[in-house]
Amino acid sequence: MMPAPALDNEFAREVRAGLSTAGQKTLPCRYLYDNVGSALFEAIACLPEYGLTRADARILEAHAGEITALLPSPVVVAELGSGSGRKTRWILEALSRRQRTSYYPVEISRSALVMCERELGDIDSVSIVGFEREYLDGLLEVAALRRENQHIMVLFLGSTIGNFNREAGIDFLSALRSTLQPGDSLLLGTDLEKPAAQLIRAYDDELGVTAAFNLNLLARINRELDADFDLNQFAHEARVNREERRVEMHLRSRRNQRARIAAAEAVIDFSAGESIWTESCHKFAAEEIPFLAARAGFRCTQQCIDTQWPFAENLLIAE
Ligand SMILES: C[S@@+](CC[C@H](N)C(=O)[O-])C[C@H]1O[C@@H](n2cnc3c(N)ncnc32)[C@H](O)[C@@H]1O
């Protein structure tokens, strides 16, 4: 067999690799977030079934003062995958009461970055410089700007850590730790385990907003890679994988079909019922977080838990 031609476009390369491997087809979840995907994610955060964002916001509103009081001064704030940054207001307002604060949102979605700058641009004593970058690339740039006496507080909210497989999540936190210095901090949001029925409702809402968010990945491939996916012939599916303690999002082919992706120089066949696995959302037990943190070189100094929607915000200090 001829090897597949080399492609310059990273998106095209990753789409072809994920859809042409034998076995389970996959697509990287970060491609869910173009301008349409980021707008749909904002809508998901408002859905009654999806309590995660509101739980995170309640904790930050109630505890931002005590969390920031535990940090050394002066501190700069880097937020990985900020989205609209709405919840971050509580942290920035608490910090701005004691110091001028530089805030660096790091995002791959340009439209999310624009939303974030608009959302938080009015806070006194806070200056915002956004980085349209991958998480760790952006953090490295922030670390390079650090002045000698400054500490860094990294925010990784909304349980985005749950998108990584468990071991990959520890590797990610270790890589993040290696860009920091002892005494720097990471505020890590983690969604806690809950009943399967509640999780299915959260990731497969009645209105179909999460379905649209998931299907937009194929629509994006059509738009950007000149492909011909028939969106009506794929169904959104949320599956609870109890053993792995995660929700998986899939796009299930409704029939035997073929899609052509011109910019990836690929033709992909689907059989009826076959799925593309697009995202994982791992869930955590509050007690396991200090152990995960320790494996990555952090000490968990504070944990705030929302009881309405079990969710933990964890303050980790780099050792
Ligand atoms: C689950 S959303 C969370 C948004 C926000 N932090 C919240 O808690 O609501 C994940 C965000 O991370 C961004 N993102 C995903 N993968 C990324 C990557 N590899 N590097 C930088 N940003 C990424 C997405 O664009 C999206 O805005």
Side-chain angles (χ1 to χ4, degrees), residues 32-304:
L32 289 163
Y33 296 93
D34 62 350
N35 56 348
V36 178
S38 288
L40 287 169
F41 182 77
E42 284 304 298
I44 289 171
C46 304
L47 292 171
E49 297 96 325
Y50 190 82
L52 191 157
T53 308
R54 285 184 296 280
D56 199 358
R58 273 193 298 274
I59 295 174
L60 293 174
E61 181 175 9
H63 298 283
E66 76 201 60
I67 290 170
T68 53
L70 293 170
L71 304 177
S73 269
V75 66
V76 301
V77 180
E79 178 162 15
L80 308 186
S82 63
S84 72
R86 193 162 300 129
K87 291 172 282 161
T88 307
R89 171 172 292 275
W90 309 112
I91 295 286
L92 295 179
E93 285 185 345
L95 280 173
S96 73
R97 285 193 275 276
R98 70 175 210 218
Q99 59 160 63
R100 299 193 72 76
T101 304
S102 298
Y103 169 59
Y104 303 105
V106 175
E107 255 296 339
I108 41 162
S109 163
R110 181 172 301 176
S111 66
L113 216 43
V114 169
M115 267 190 269
C116 179
E117 288 170 353
R118 205 176 290 144
E119 181 74 34
L120 299 172
D122 66 330
I123 307 176
D124 277 347
S125 309
V126 173
S127 64
I128 307 181
V129 177
F131 286 91
E132 191 182 339
R133 298 279 189 283
E134 290 278 335
Y135 301 130
L136 293 178
D137 294 341
L139 186 58
L140 275 170
E141 291 191 43
V142 173
L145 295 174
R146 169 211 293 265
R147 287 199 221 101
E148 212 172 300
N149 64 337
Q150 284 177 328
H151 291 83
I152 297 181
M153 176 192 211
V154 179
L155 307 179
F156 199 31
L157 306 178
S159 205
T160 307
I161 186 67
N163 294 151
F164 290 88
N165 284 338
R166 293 197 189 268
E167 281 308 305
I170 308 259
D171 292 347
F172 176 78
L173 293 180
S174 303
L176 190 162
R177 164 67 190 86
S178 69
T179 66
L180 300 179
Q181 294 177 1
D184 287 341
S185 55
L186 166 63
L187 189 63
L188 181 69
T190 47
D191 197 26
L192 302 180
E193 292 171 73
K194 38 188 73 63
Q198 188 179 3
L199 288 173
I200 293 291
R201 277 198 301 280
Y203 290 89
D204 192 3
D205 61 279
E206 245 185 345
L207 260 181
V209 183
T210 314
F213 173 71
N214 199 7
L215 280 163
N216 176 55
L217 185 44
L218 299 184
R220 179 179 184 181
I221 296 172
N222 284 350
R223 287 191 294 270
E224 294 184 24
L225 301 181
D226 191 14
D228 65 356
F229 282 98
D230 180 348
L231 268 52
N232 292 317
Q233 295 307 329
F234 286 87
H236 166 69
E237 228 175 69
R239 302 180 188 167
V240 170
N241 182 330
R242 281 181 185 284
E243 206 167 297
E244 300 292 343
R245 297 186 292 145
R246 69 181 173 219
V247 182
E248 298 172 3
M249 294 210 315
H250 290 256
L251 291 165
R252 182 175 42 76
S253 177
R254 294 184 193 271
R255 62 169 192 204
N256 293 338
Q257 55 182 319
R258 169 168 285 183
R260 288 173 190 75
I261 311 171
E265 300 184 40
V267 176
I268 312 291
D269 287 318
F270 295 89
S271 47
E274 182 181 12
S275 78
I276 311 171
W277 182 2
T278 55
E279 193 182 51
S280 297
C281 304
H282 290 81
K283 304 300 167 189
F284 299 87
E287 315 77 68
E288 76 185 303
I289 305 299
F291 295 99
L292 301 181
R295 285 184 62 196
F298 290 97
R299 183 169 37 89
C300 183
T301 55
Q302 212 200 15
Q303 198 170 58
C304 307

